[in-house]
Amino acid sequence: DIDMHPITRAYLYASSRAEHNIQIYKWIKEGKIVLCDRHMLSSLIYNKNPEKKYSVYLINSYANNILLDHNIDMNYILLDIDKENFEKRIKTREEINHLDLETKENFEKRRKMYLKTGKYFSAKIIDSNGTINETHNKIMKEIKSIIEK
């Protein structure tokens, strides 16, 4: 992880998001259905800090406007898992990062921010404390209901 100022990191994520959204828009124009892992909500949560004097939401809104300006319907699915089940899952990974090792207190703070932000964006919140297969089935059910709209 490169040491850099939080504003720099927020702008880098937003610029990457903008490039990604340009490609998403092209795919949608081609009639494709696009699913993204970690999007706007992740940028808001992982850059959120009350002491920061800049708006991560504002920085990322320019990237999101690439889709919103074209009336692209964005649906959010948020996977909710508790710390105990999260720790069981990361033990099966080949690689872990610094966010995987955060304290229970920090994990719960971030989880609460995700849930609050997800509700603001009308995200469908899925309980992911079951098996990976159970969670997969819940996700697929929600995706099918979105597509069938």
Side-chain angles (χ1 to χ4, degrees):
D1 200 355
I2 298 172
D3 186 33
M4 68 177 72
H5 193 279
I7 290 176
T8 305
R9 185 178 309 278
Y11 273 106
L12 286 171
Y13 278 117
S15 62
S16 174
R17 185 98 50 236
E19 286 299 311
H20 190 217
N21 286 347
I22 290 167
Q23 183 59 54
I24 290 171
Y25 180 66
K26 288 177 185 175
W27 288 328
I28 289 171
K29 279 178 57 177
E30 293 172 6
K32 295 179 180 176
I33 295 170
V34 181
L35 303 174
C36 301
D37 175 19
R38 298 181 185 91
H39 203 262
M40 175 78 163
L41 299 182
S42 295
S43 292
L44 294 175
I45 300 306
Y46 284 100
N47 288 296
K48 193 168 188 168
N49 182 334
E51 288 80 44
K52 293 180 181 172
K53 305 293 185 213
Y54 60 94
S55 171
V56 173
Y57 180 80
L58 181 62
I59 292 169
N60 279 275
S61 68
Y62 297 121
N64 252 15
N65 283 347
I66 293 166
L67 300 176
L68 296 175
D69 287 348
H70 296 284
N71 297 316
I72 302 301
D73 185 22
M74 298 196 322
N75 296 277
Y76 295 97
I77 298 173
L78 194 150
L79 305 181
D80 181 30
I81 190 167
D82 62 33
K83 179 69 169 166
E84 182 182 336
N85 284 305
F86 176 77
E87 287 177 345
K88 288 177 188 173
R89 293 230 182 114
I90 64 169
K91 287 179 183 176
T92 64
R93 293 184 187 168
E94 290 180 23
E95 293 183 34
I96 57 173
N97 64 48
H98 67 285
L99 295 172
D100 294 333
L101 302 174
E102 66 185 351
T103 65
K104 181 172 182 157
E105 179 184 353
N106 286 342
F107 178 92
E108 288 303 327
K109 282 182 189 177
R110 194 170 312 279
R111 181 176 175 229
K112 285 178 184 176
M113 285 191 292
Y114 256 114
L115 293 172
K116 183 178 179 181
T117 306
K119 286 179 184 173
Y120 177 80
F121 284 93
S122 301
K124 172 65 177 174
I125 298 170
I126 294 178
D127 179 353
S128 302
N129 287 301
T131 66
I132 291 174
N133 193 47
E134 290 168 339
T135 301
H136 170 82
N137 289 337
K138 290 176 186 178
I139 294 167
M140 293 307 298
K141 181 179 176 183
E142 185 59 31
I143 289 171
K144 286 177 186 175
S145 74
I146 292 168
I147 291 170
E148 291 170 356
K149 283 185 196 176

